[in-house]
Amino acid sequence: MTSTVVISARGEQRLEGGHPWIYRTDVGDVHASAGDMVSVRSPRGRILGSALFSDRSQITLRMLSYGETIADEALINRRIAVAHQFRQSLNIDATAYRVVHGEADLLPSLIVDRYGDYLVVQTLSQGMDKLLPVVVEALGSVFAPRGILARNDPRARLLEGLEQRVDVLAGEVPDLITVREGRIEYDVDLRRGQKTGLFLDQRENRDAAALYAHGRLLDCFSYDGGFALRLAPLCRETIAFDISQEAVARVRQNAARHEITIDARVGNVFDELRGLERLRERFDTIVLDPPAFAKTKAAVAKATAGYKEINLRALKLLNPGGILVTCSCSYNMSEAAFAEILHSAAIDARAQVTVVEKRMQGRDHPVLLGVPETYYLKCFILRRVS
Ligand code: SAH
């Protein structure tokens, strides 16, 4: 490895603090080209480790290894194999789950999701993108999948100067793949579905919600019906809302396929909650699983208002003894900030509310301590006491 990058003393401190990213402002001399695997040096020339280099992103370096440990293809192979072993040890009752969760699996900017016999890959930095052939080879030997799809269409790739594209990288990938989560089967369109097809990160929160779901259920931001399908059999009546017609059509199909009764409606949750309030409707279980309102730091103030609004309205619609499962998948919204929004929503709704469970994304999406970016999904299970 001949490419090298020298970082500042402040950058060195960041690494010692456990964060694997070095920003542009902490980078000195660069002898590397876009996407290189580089040797990272201290201002005095000490070898700090190996990293993926980007000549475009604000995140210039993403560490792969520390000290003298050499980052090479074998290291990528080993880490993918270890990530797979860990997921197998979790005994996940589903055929779709995350296999590689980027930084938390020490494979920065690499996402791999498994959908039955198929894998979906995202490479979200120049360096990982350049390693794609190595990743595909490793995935082939660890999983022997029937097909590997690159869902490289996230906007984050634009920050790296990478194109947005979707390609079959190995084998073949049918238009629809059938996977199972618990007792529910889904037909997933890996090429066009949101994220890599399904919201795999909510699997355990759906199961947790099932411990409390009862009475009349309202599932807001339902997508394919992840929460509604899991909880409806436990409830007397279920209404689900999503703004996307296609999503609502899939909720209806999935409900019919499993002989579950769900009243799935197209609607903007902000308007619908207000409408339900006007009609004096009441519910015993409500799920709020909106898209990330705070995609950037600048968007946090507006996002705060959005989260407050839906949580306030939901609490008003909730009967005493009712359960609110409320989520934020914005990593820019900290757990503490989200809890504060929920508190202020409860005050405005004149509701007394207890926190029954505080949860996060599923165990197949672990959080790397010291890297708040890997703790993105917050999920509170609240109970309206009075
Ligand atoms: N709860 C789902 C995932 C939700 S993803 C699950 O468990 O799988 C967020 C969903 O919110 C998307 O399907 C999107 O179409 C929908 N959405 C975004 N803005 C909305 C709005 N204002 N009103 C209703 N749905 C909205």
Side-chain angles (χ1 to χ4, degrees), residues 243-254:
I243 207 161
S244 147
Q245 271 183 16
E246 298 94 87
V248 171
R250 284 195 300 273
V251 177
R252 290 183 184 145
Q253 276 164 18
N254 288 336

Side-chain angles (χ1 to χ4, degrees), residues 311-322:
N311 281 284
L312 163 60
R313 304 234 172 250
L315 284 171
K316 283 189 173 173
L317 292 174
L318 210 55
N319 284 321

Side-chain angles (χ1 to χ4, degrees), residues 147-220:
I148 302 179
L149 183 75
R151 255 315 279 277
N152 268 332
D153 52 349
R155 292 182 59 83
R157 281 181 47 108
L158 300 177
L159 303 174
E160 297 275 343
L162 297 168
E163 317 170 59
Q164 291 176 285
R165 48 188 302 165
V166 177
D167 307 291
V168 175
L169 301 176
E172 52 165 57
V173 178
D175 289 341
L176 287 179
I177 312 281
T178 304
V179 294
R180 181 185 62 75
E181 182 182 296
R183 271 180 286 172
I184 308 293
E185 277 184 353
Y186 293 90
D187 289 332
V188 190
D189 181 342
L190 299 181
R191 289 178 179 79
R192 278 170 291 270
Q194 289 202 37
K195 302 244 277 191
T196 59
L198 283 180
F199 289 85
L200 306 175
D201 47 9
Q202 289 283 26
R203 184 187 55 252
E204 292 170 11
N205 295 330
R206 295 180 190 119
D207 283 342
L211 299 173
Y212 313 97
H214 67 283
R216 229 177 150 218
L217 165 68
L218 178 64
D219 179 16
C220 300

Side-chain angles (χ1 to χ4, degrees), residues 194 198-199 202 206 219-227 241-244 247 267-270 287 289-291 293:
Q194 289 202 37
L198 283 180
F199 289 85
Q202 289 283 26
R206 295 180 190 119
D219 179 16
C220 300
F221 309 96
S222 58
Y223 190 55
D224 283 17
F227 280 95
F241 279 111
D242 199 283
I243 207 161
S244 147
N268 183 330
V269 166
F270 286 85
V287 178
D289 183 21
F293 288 160

Side-chain angles (χ1 to χ4, degrees), residues 83-104:
H84 174 48
Q85 279 161 18
F86 171 61
R87 294 338 183 260
Q88 281 184 310
S89 76
L90 294 177
N91 289 318
I92 294 171
D93 182 21
T95 59
Y97 50 88
R98 179 149 295 184
V99 177
V100 174
H101 187 49
E103 278 68 6

